[in-house]
Amino acid sequence: MCIRDRYMSSRTHQVTSEDWRQLCLALVIKLDLDLDIAGIEERVKEHTSSDLFHPVTSEWDISKCKAWFVHKFEPPLHWCHGDDSSDDEPDGDIRSGTYTGSMLSHDQDNPTSCFSMPLLFKIRLAPGSSSTLFERLYHDSYGLHKITGQIHNPNETSQDATAKIEFAKLYLAPDQHNQANQHLNKTGDLSMFGAIEAIHFDGSQTSPGKIEGTWKLDDSLGHDTKRDWLATVEGNVTSGSFSLSKLARVHGMGQPIQ
């Protein structure tokens, strides 16, 4: 039974604040949000009957509930059906789930000037693949982009026991945004959409749930694109390091691994 049916299907059920709390808890777990119990409780307390119920039938209004939850909890727009977080992979493998971290660098012309950009990344393998990442859309201050890449987990024949990952941010042209969004909701396959590979990442797992590595602007970037990047980051920043930490479930909640 899906979450919506479990909490909203019964017309005879007397809805309570605890029902709404449990629904929000289930959604936070399902969406792998970075919230603890206190954060959920704080948001749930802010709801009123008019936020959730139909004014005539007094039943839950799904459209209202959805709008309220999206406004208060800000779930990631890149979430796709079938996403999940897992701790079941063999020891040493890069695990599926949500990873957060940052890209770091120093201005090559001014070493005292530090560049930092948040990095949010959902790791999930494409259907039927043991290495290819599932493609999805993200949005940052530079625009709509997809992330593609490969995971190389160690196996019995591997000479290197360290799990590695390589991925790239590819930015889509503005005239492809609407079509890409609609298509992704159906298949999760963005291979037919052309994009500019702007940033390439190479990393390895340093400990369970921790990935570290380096990033650099792609060598094939055109002059105009590279100029726009340098103008945006306000410095001669073309490479650096990155780190990611998996949001691990602690008592059902998403918390960065310490």
Side-chain angles (χ1 to χ4, degrees):
M1 178 180 289
C2 73
I3 291 174
R4 184 192 68 183
D5 291 341
R6 177 181 177 185
Y7 292 95
M8 296 185 174
S9 62
S10 175
R11 291 181 176 271
T12 61
H13 180 59
Q14 183 65 41
V15 177
T16 66
S17 294
E18 180 61 19
D19 291 322
W20 182 238
R21 176 182 176 276
Q22 290 295 327
L23 174 57
C24 290
L25 173 63
L27 288 170
V28 166
I29 294 173
K30 181 65 177 177
L31 297 172
D32 220 10
L33 302 184
D34 184 14
L35 284 172
D36 56 16
I37 292 291
I40 295 173
E41 299 285 4
E42 179 181 352
R43 289 162 175 79
V44 169
K45 287 190 301 184
E46 297 176 3
H47 83 273
T48 64
S49 296
S50 61
D51 291 327
L52 309 177
F53 301 115
H54 191 282
V56 177
T57 64
S58 296
E59 296 174 356
W60 280 13
D61 186 314
I62 293 178
S63 296
K64 283 188 172 184
C65 292
K66 178 181 177 181
W68 186 91
F69 185 88
V70 169
H71 174 67
K72 293 294 184 181
F73 285 82
E74 299 181 330
L77 298 180
H78 60 259
W79 189 89
C80 295
H81 181 71
D83 280 351
D84 202 358
S85 180
S86 175
D87 294 317
D88 297 332
E89 288 88 345
D91 290 342
D93 283 9
I94 293 177
R95 296 167 175 169
S96 59
T98 302
Y99 288 72
T100 61
S102 60
M103 297 166 55
L104 300 172
S105 186
H106 290 280
D107 187 333
Q108 297 174 23
D109 298 330
N110 181 13
T112 62
S113 176
C114 183
F115 163 81
S116 177
M117 179 192 293
L119 187 59
L120 176 64
F121 186 28
K122 186 83 173 181
I123 291 182
R124 170 184 168 188
L125 292 175
S129 176
S130 61
S131 59
T132 301
L133 292 174
F134 180 89
E135 291 188 356
R136 66 183 67 238
L137 289 175
Y138 298 83
H139 193 281
D140 60 19
S141 56
Y142 305 105
L144 189 70
H145 61 278
K146 62 180 181 178
I147 288 183
T148 63
Q150 300 277 329
I151 288 177
H152 305 287
N153 284 318
N155 55 45
E156 295 179 356
T157 62
S158 299
Q159 295 182 351
D160 190 345
T162 302
K164 299 183 182 299
I165 184 171
E166 54 179 320
F167 59 97
K169 284 188 175 187
L170 297 89
Y171 288 85
L172 277 65
D175 60 0
Q176 294 185 318
H177 289 187
N178 288 337
Q179 186 181 2
N181 272 310
Q182 295 170 6
H183 193 77
L184 181 68
N185 292 335
K186 296 179 181 178
T187 67
D189 181 6
L190 297 172
S191 59
M192 68 291 299
F193 293 104
I196 299 173
E197 182 170 337
I199 310 173
H200 188 83
F201 299 80
D202 279 297
S204 59
Q205 183 166 251
T206 57
S207 62
K210 296 275 191 178
I211 298 173
E212 296 180 354
T214 59
W215 66 268
K216 67 174 182 176
L217 290 188
D218 191 80
D219 295 334
S220 63
L221 275 182
H223 173 76
D224 291 343
T225 305
K226 191 171 183 178
R227 179 199 60 202
D228 291 343
W229 161 271
L230 293 175
T232 305
V233 300
E234 300 179 352
N236 187 15
V237 177
T238 60
S239 63
S241 62
F242 77 91
S243 62
L244 291 166
S245 295
K246 183 179 184 293
L247 294 183
R249 291 182 177 180
V250 179
H251 304 301
M253 295 293 95
Q255 294 284 348
I257 292 177
Q258 301 298 321

